[in-house]
Amino acid sequence: MFRPQFLLSALAAFAPLSFAVKRSAGDPCVVIAGKVFVRPADALACMKSFPFNETLRQNVLTNNIARVFDFYTFEDYYLESPPPFQESTANIRAGLAKINTTKYATDYDFNIDLYNFITQLNDGHTRWFPNCYTSFQNLLPAPIVSLEVNGVQGVYIVPDLVDLVSLLGPDYTDLITIDWQRLAGAKVVSVEGQDPYAYVDFIAKTVSGNYLDHGVRVNSVFSSYRLSGSAYSQRFGDFAGPTGAAQNSLTMKLTTVNSTKVESVTIPYIASFLGVNFTDQASFWANNCVATNATNGVDLKQSAGLTSNAFKRKQPMANIIDKSTSSAVGLPSQFEPTLPTVGGDQGVMKSYILPGNKTGVMFIGSFEGDFDGFQNDTQSAIAAFKAAGVTQLLIDLSNNGGGFVCLGQFLHQYLAGTRIGYPGFQSTVRGNELARKIVASDIALGLTDAVTFYTADNYAFLNGTQMPADYNYITPDVPIVINGRADATSQRFHDTCGLSFTVDMPENPPFDLKNVAIVSNGNCASTCAMFSTLMNEREQTKIAVFGGKPFENVEFKGMAGNQVLEWFDIDSEIKTANLKDDPLAPADLLVSGDFRHNWRTAWSFFNEKEPIAYVSELPKYRFPYTLDTYNNPQNLWLFAEKTLFT
Ligand SMILES: *[C@@H]1O[C@H](CO)[C@@H](O)[C@H](O)[C@H]1NC(C)=O
Ligand SMILES: *[C@@H]1O[C@H](CO)[C@@H](O)[C@H](O)[C@H]1NC(C)=O
Ligand SMILES: *[C@@H]1O[C@H](CO)[C@@H](O)[C@H](O)[C@H]1NC(C)=O
Ligand SMILES: *[C@@H]1O[C@H](CO)[C@@H](O)[C@H](O)[C@H]1NC(C)=O
Ligand SMILES: *[C@@H]1O[C@H](CO)[C@@H](O)[C@H](O)[C@H]1NC(C)=O
Ligand SMILES: *[C@@H]1O[C@H](CO)[C@@H](O)[C@H](O)[C@H]1NC(C)=O
Ligand SMILES: *[C@@H]1O[C@H](CO)[C@@H](O)[C@H](O)[C@H]1NC(C)=O
Ligand SMILES: *[C@@H]1O[C@H](CO)[C@@H](O)[C@H](O)[C@H]1NC(C)=O
């Protein structure tokens, strides 16, 4: 099923921010208005029709993004990222200065340059999303996978192509100008004149983002199964489903199934619109590009009533934003598990008992959604496993983009028991000048964790005692040196997740931890990365990663930052602390966009001098996908049961 989700349009009341739009028969946005699927060149013509505007560049780059970067925990690590993450090296300030002086013809060119620069930091917690220009996803009717066939790994167009692409419907397939069905399962010989794995590396380097490790990004180039929300889905992958509308077609050399003839095929991309509907250039701008009432933060002291989601706000988040989930294509239904689910099945977790009753499977698609419901589902799945005599637990974390920080710690604690004590990591925030002013001001104002993430009562001392709200853990700061640069950080602290556990926690592990194994494609981000790192570092859990490029490592954790703050969140912290007028405070955005950043560091349990993001931890097992497993979770679990539990 194709499920476009349109963002709320809530603009009318907002600061008119307009271009001198030429209303003419030649309006390039009229051509694509009201359509879900359009030619990328037409989408691009509309997006490129807004001239470059220096006022907007200074608003976004100098007054907003450059100042938010002061809070970014990993800024100085980028000067020289340690191996194997060296590809993610950048001088952030020099990069911003260059974008500040480059001549751009259009507003699109400026924003996409900035989007690419920040995306290529490869930190899914630190992204610039200019909503105006990230409102298309470009879909190629030829997603690819790396498969082992007859003992040899190669790149193939997905064998389930016809079933998968047909789910997009005739509005999509009618626009494909070639005989695409015959490409199902074709072996790819080259892409744009390059070896297919070399082209995959190129996409991993220039398009994917989100994950520090190159090997993990290679897997996000390929198509893969996932849960999108609570529904089975097949991700197109960054080769066949990148954000934007930059490319019109790709040329591949390939051999179709049962043929030995190498032929050259040029395949068209078709762009899918994910933004807010519009009728012409002016309404495209008004509905998609201008700041809404949800773009900038609010003074949470004034809006205690407004936050009916006050509880949610208090829960720290660690997740990535995968634009491809906003219009997820279903996994063709014949590849969904045929076993019945057991335990709770209302949310992001689906649990099964494999035939023979030895192994229970928890497929955890994310740590988002219903905070208490997740805990209930865990408890009821484990109770069902116990009742059936299950002794082995397999956890599938494929394409888990993270979510609530505390649900990762919850799951670790539930599986390891309360006997282990604190189930998380040591953490810090950056001790920049404005952060220190915020904490001081919060204390003076008598604020608490009910409204801010900066007050100390969100956290605990390392002995486990919750800090009092008026405790100043950031002044004096703790000096650290990163890549030769002096930086400042807060004192170290623990999370206080135990305060929000709502189910009875077992004292001892429900399953012998030697009989617990994790499988994934390495696309396990944020809370998922922290959870699997805890299971690796503290419980020595067996971890297997599927897919990737032959003879190249894949880390099992994709992006192991810690809590992320959206622009709305950090701006709300500043406004709530009455510091919006401070010269260091970032300005409100005039455009609709989000500059999110990794706000807290999680320090490795193995080496408490290193952020876990920068500690290389490889899975004990690596397997290629096969025709049986790449899009068939149940087949993969049966393979893993045979292979990992012996
Ligand atoms: C934004 O505006 C919409 C529509 O006017 C309204 O429903 C919503 O509550 C507003 N949100 C905030 C955070 O003010
Ligand atoms: C540039 O943007 C500013 C801020 O919205 C606006 O006031 C100004 O008119 C724009 N300039 C042009 C030439 O459109
Ligand atoms: C936007 O337009 C599409 C295509 O006409 C339509 O299917 C969809 O319902 C519209 N969405 C909204 C929110 O109006
Ligand atoms: C960009 O250039 C302007 C004008 O020279 C300057 O005021 C601003 O500080 C620069 N911003 C950045 C991020 O380099
Ligand atoms: C390929 O050959 C096999 C065996 O003859 C046949 O079953 C299959 O339908 C053929 N596939 C295509 C796409 O021609
Ligand atoms: C597995 O458990 C189910 C439900 O308790 C039972 O019906 C089935 O016979 C069991 N299978 C085996 C192989 O023990
Ligand atoms: C979780 O389970 C408890 C106890 O059965 C129940 O009271 C509560 O409503 C459940 N919460 C959710 C969110 O499912
Ligand atoms: C934990 O450490 C804090 C700060 O050093 C101290 O004030 C508190 O009394 C300690 N709590 C316990 C239970 O030792």
Side-chain angles (χ1 to χ4, degrees), residues 346 370-377 379 502-503:
Q346 296 316 303
D370 184 333
F371 189 82
D372 292 348
F374 185 97
Q375 300 185 44
N376 280 10
D377 282 0
Q379 187 180 44
T502 51
V503 300

Side-chain angles (χ1 to χ4, degrees), residues 9-10 293-294 306:
S9 167
N293 65 352
L306 179 151

Side-chain angles (χ1 to χ4, degrees), residues 388-402:
V390 160
T391 54
Q392 303 173 154
L393 177 64
L394 185 65
I395 302 173
D396 191 339
L397 298 175
S398 298
N399 287 316
N400 181 317

Side-chain angles (χ1 to χ4, degrees), residues 57 61 66 91-102 104 117:
R57 164 159 70 182
L61 188 73
N91 183 324
I92 292 174
R93 299 295 165 174
L96 298 183
K98 178 154 175 275
I99 294 169
N100 196 27
T101 52
T102 300
Y104 297 104
F117 174 69

